[in-house]
Amino acid sequence: MLSVFFLSAAIVLATSSWGLLSVPGLLFAVAGIIFSLRKQTGYAAICGYVPAVGSFIGQSVVGICISCTLAACLFATAAVTASIVLLKEKPGRVALGVVTLVVSMGIFIFQIPEYHVMANATPASVSSVRKEHKDKLLYYFSPSCKFC
């Protein structure tokens, strides 16, 4: 069952646009598949928690990517499912993993940066945006930028 979540995350990462964490995510997915097939649920849980937490925190800083969010949710589902099996044996480690996951999801949900599309901006509109949001980090997207 766990391997299905890891395989789904690998498919999502492999078929979407490549980013900074795509290759590490694929490596964690492959490792999670191997550990889940070998019934090593502790290592499988780690292979779920690490990329999920990293992805949620990374997206809260850089910006939201739909395929990355889907893969992170699949990794988190695999981690929580593996943790259910481990709950009686290692409750402290399971609690640490779940708390870390919940905190990273909270950071992801409540610290989403503001985005402003600057394709049709005039100098006056740019200065008004800067005056309104002096205390927040602003991200600008341009349709001519291949990285946006």
Side-chain angles (χ1 to χ4, degrees):
M1 180 69 173
L2 289 177
S3 57
V4 172
F5 295 121
F6 286 115
L7 180 62
S8 300
I11 290 170
V12 168
L13 289 173
T15 58
S16 62
S17 61
W18 288 85
L20 180 65
L21 297 176
S22 296
V23 173
L26 283 171
L27 293 176
F28 273 107
V30 169
I33 290 170
I34 292 169
F35 288 132
S36 63
L37 291 176
R38 291 183 177 179
K39 306 290 185 203
Q40 296 176 323
T41 52
Y43 293 119
I46 291 170
C47 289
Y49 281 122
V50 170
V53 169
S55 180
F56 285 133
I57 291 176
Q59 289 183 72
S60 70
V61 172
V62 177
I64 297 173
C65 165
I66 298 300
S67 59
C68 298
T69 304
L70 178 60
C73 290
L74 289 167
F75 279 122
T77 304
V80 170
T81 305
S83 295
I84 291 170
V85 175
L86 295 173
L87 189 57
K88 290 183 181 178
E89 298 171 13
K90 301 175 182 177
R93 292 182 184 178
V94 169
L96 178 67
V98 170
V99 166
T100 305
L101 182 63
V102 169
V103 167
S104 70
M105 291 175 85
I107 291 170
F108 173 72
I109 292 171
F110 296 111
Q111 297 294 326
I112 297 173
E114 292 187 26
Y115 294 93
H116 300 279
V117 177
M118 299 302 295
N120 298 323
T122 62
S125 65
V126 173
S127 63
S128 65
V129 168
R130 287 186 185 149
K131 288 178 186 174
E132 293 173 13
H133 305 287
K134 286 182 180 178
D135 59 337
K136 292 187 178 181
L137 183 61
L138 299 177
Y139 294 94
Y140 296 97
F141 283 101
S142 169
S144 61
C145 175
K146 67 178 184 176
F147 298 107
C148 291

